[in-house]
Amino acid sequence: MKKLTIRARLTLVYGGLFLFAGTVLLAVTYVLVDQRLTRGLGFDLRSRDSGKVSLPQSGTKITPEQAETLRGLVRQVQEDARQDALDSLLTQGGVALAVVTVAAVAFGWLVAGRALQPLNQITGTARRIAGADGAGRGLHERIALDGPTDEVKELADTFDLMLERLDRSFDGQRRFVANASHELRTPLAINRSLVELAITRPDAPAELRQLGEVLLTVNERHERLIDGLLTLADSENTLTERTEVDLAEMAGHLTDQTAARTALAVSRQLAPARTVGDPVLLERLTQNLLENAVRHNLGEDGWLTVSTTTTDGRAVLTVSNSGPVVPGYEVESIFLPFRRLNRERAAGNRGFGLGLSIVRAVARAHGGTVHALPRPGGGLVVTVSLPTPGVG
C-alpha cells in the first residue's frame, strides 16, 4: 500500500480532530438539552381542599380522577416533545457536523499545502541540483526562501550555505586542474624542443640520440596526460559552443583513421544521428571510445564495431569490441579517473585511465548518458546517448 504524503496525513489529522471535537460537543449538548427538557413544562396541579383539585392560574376545580388523567396527558406530551427535540438535535446536528467536517478537511488540505510549500521549494531545488549533468553542476542555485524566521526558514538557509560551500569547492577544484594543466604544458613543450634540438645535431653521438628518444617518449606521455586532464576539466564546465553535429559523419571519419592504424577487423553501421554540442569535445569522446576499444583488445585476432542511430529522440553511438572478459561488478570502476579493471590505478604503460572518464564527463556536459555492458565472450559494449536537436 502506498504511503500517504505528509500533506494527506496532516489533513487527516486535522479532519479527525475536528470530527472528534464536534462529536464531543454534540454529545455534551445532547445531555444538557435532555436534562433541561426532563424538568417538565411547569404544570402544577395543586389540591385546594380535600375533594377538589384546581388548575393553575384558572382556578377551575376538577376531580382527582380528572387530575390524574390530565397529569398522564401532560407527561405524554412532555415526553413526546422531549424525544422529538432530542431526535431533531441528533439528526440536524449530525448532518451539520458531517458538512462542516467535509469543509474542515478541504480547508485543512489547503492549509497543509500552504504550510508545506517551503518544503516543496526546498525539495524542488534539491531535485534540480541532483539531476544536473556532471558533478558540481547546478550548485549555483539557491532556495532563497522568504518568510518569517522559523524552523523551515533556518533549514532553507542552512541548505543554501551548504550549496555555496560545495559550489566554491567544485569551482576551485576545476580551476586548479585547468591552471595546473596549462602551467605544465609550457615546460613540457620547452623540454621537447630542447631534446629534439639535441638529437638532431649532426655531431650527436648514438647514445645521446637513444637517450633523447626515450626522453621524447616520456615527454609525450606527460603531454597526453596533461591534455587528458585539460579535456576532463573543460568537459566539467558549462558548454560555451553548441553546433549541430552528425555523429555518423564524425564516427565514420575517426573510424577510417583507426582502421588505418590497427590490424583489427573494423566494421561500421552508421545511420544519421544528429545532436547539438561542442564538436571538439564530441570528437574527443568518439576518439576515446575507439582508442579504448583498440587498446583493450585481442590484437590481430580482435575486432571492433562502430554504429550510430537515432532512437526515441536520442542520438546513439555504440562501440563494441572483443577483448578480455570484464566482470560486471568492475564495469563502473573503469569510468573513474586513473582507474582500470580490478580497481588498480594506472601504472603508465597502457595509458592513464582517463579515456572513459572523459567520455562520461563529455556526455554529461551535453545532457547525455554513457552505459557499458560486458560481452559474454569478452570485451565491452559502450553506448552513448545524446539528445537530438530541439530536445532538452
Side-chain angles (χ1 to χ4, degrees), residues 38-234:
T38 306
R39 295 173 58 184
L41 300 177
F43 287 101
D44 184 16
L45 303 178
R46 298 181 298 275
S47 176
R48 296 185 180 275
D49 53 41
S50 59
K52 298 291 184 178
V53 177
S54 61
L55 291 174
Q57 297 179 358
S58 65
T60 304
K61 303 296 183 176
I62 61 175
T63 64
E65 292 78 9
Q66 291 175 333
E68 187 62 30
T69 302
L70 184 58
R71 288 192 189 96
L73 292 175
V74 170
R75 282 196 296 268
Q76 183 64 38
V77 171
Q78 180 177 330
E79 180 63 25
D80 292 343
R82 186 182 69 85
Q83 193 61 45
D84 290 341
L86 293 178
D87 291 344
S88 177
L89 175 63
L90 284 179
T91 303
Q92 297 182 11
V95 172
L97 178 60
V99 172
V100 175
T101 299
V102 172
V105 169
F107 183 73
W109 177 264
L110 296 177
V111 171
R114 180 69 176 177
L116 294 175
Q117 185 176 0
L119 293 181
N120 294 332
Q121 185 176 346
I122 295 174
T123 303
T125 303
R127 185 179 291 113
R128 287 193 300 273
I129 294 174
D133 301 317
R137 296 183 184 277
L139 292 177
H140 62 279
E141 280 202 61
R142 298 293 182 270
I143 300 174
L145 185 65
D146 296 328
T149 304
D150 53 13
E151 291 82 355
V152 178
K153 181 70 163 56
E154 291 179 359
L155 173 63
D157 292 343
T158 303
F159 192 81
D160 284 342
L161 180 61
M162 179 189 67
L163 290 178
E164 183 178 354
R165 292 182 177 179
L166 286 175
D167 195 17
R168 288 201 302 265
S169 176
F170 275 98
D171 282 343
Q173 181 183 15
R174 284 191 289 264
R175 284 196 301 269
F176 172 78
V177 173
N179 293 336
S181 300
H182 280 296
E183 292 297 326
L184 288 174
R185 270 183 164 180
T186 301
L188 288 176
I190 295 176
N191 289 342
R192 184 180 68 252
S193 299
L194 293 176
V195 172
E196 289 177 348
L197 179 62
I199 64 176
T200 54
R201 291 173 52 187
D203 56 345
E207 295 82 359
L208 179 60
R209 294 178 184 273
Q210 184 177 1
L211 177 60
E213 294 294 339
V214 174
L215 292 177
L216 284 178
T217 302
V218 174
N219 199 82
E220 182 184 0
R221 285 184 51 79
H222 290 166
E223 288 179 343
R224 287 192 287 111
L225 172 61
I226 299 304
D227 184 60
L229 290 174
L230 268 178
T231 304
L232 188 59
D234 289 340

Side-chain angles (χ1 to χ4, degrees), residues 239-391:
L239 296 179
T240 57
E241 180 181 356
R242 289 185 178 271
T243 305
E244 189 169 330
V245 178
D246 189 353
L247 293 180
E249 180 181 354
M250 181 178 293
H253 174 69
L254 294 176
T255 302
D256 290 340
Q257 295 181 354
T258 301
R261 298 193 304 264
T262 182
L264 298 174
V266 180
S267 60
R268 69 203 75 188
Q269 299 173 356
L270 304 177
R274 306 195 69 82
T275 186
V276 176
D278 189 325
V280 176
L281 291 179
L282 291 176
E283 182 178 358
R284 184 60 183 268
L285 176 149
T286 308
Q287 183 178 356
N288 280 10
L289 287 178
L290 293 173
E291 290 179 354
N292 187 76
V294 172
R295 183 179 294 113
H296 303 284
N297 216 304
L298 300 178
E300 295 183 357
D301 297 330
W303 56 267
L304 72 88
T305 301
V306 182
S307 64
T308 58
T309 186
T310 301
T311 305
D312 297 330
R314 309 281 289 183
V316 180
L317 168 65
T318 304
V319 177
S320 308
N321 65 281
S322 59
V325 176
V326 181
Y329 58 84
E330 289 285 356
V331 170
E332 189 62 26
S333 66
I334 64 179
F335 287 98
L336 300 176
F338 303 105
R339 296 276 182 171
R340 295 205 199 95
L341 290 180
N342 302 319
R343 299 186 182 274
E344 62 177 342
R345 296 184 66 85
N349 58 345
R350 293 179 58 194
F352 300 98
L354 289 175
L356 292 181
S357 301
I358 293 174
V359 169
R360 172 168 286 183
V362 172
R364 286 178 173 175
H366 289 77
T369 58
V370 180
H371 298 286
L373 293 175
R375 296 183 63 259
L380 281 175
V381 178
V382 184
T383 303
V384 179
S385 176
L386 299 173
T388 53
V391 178

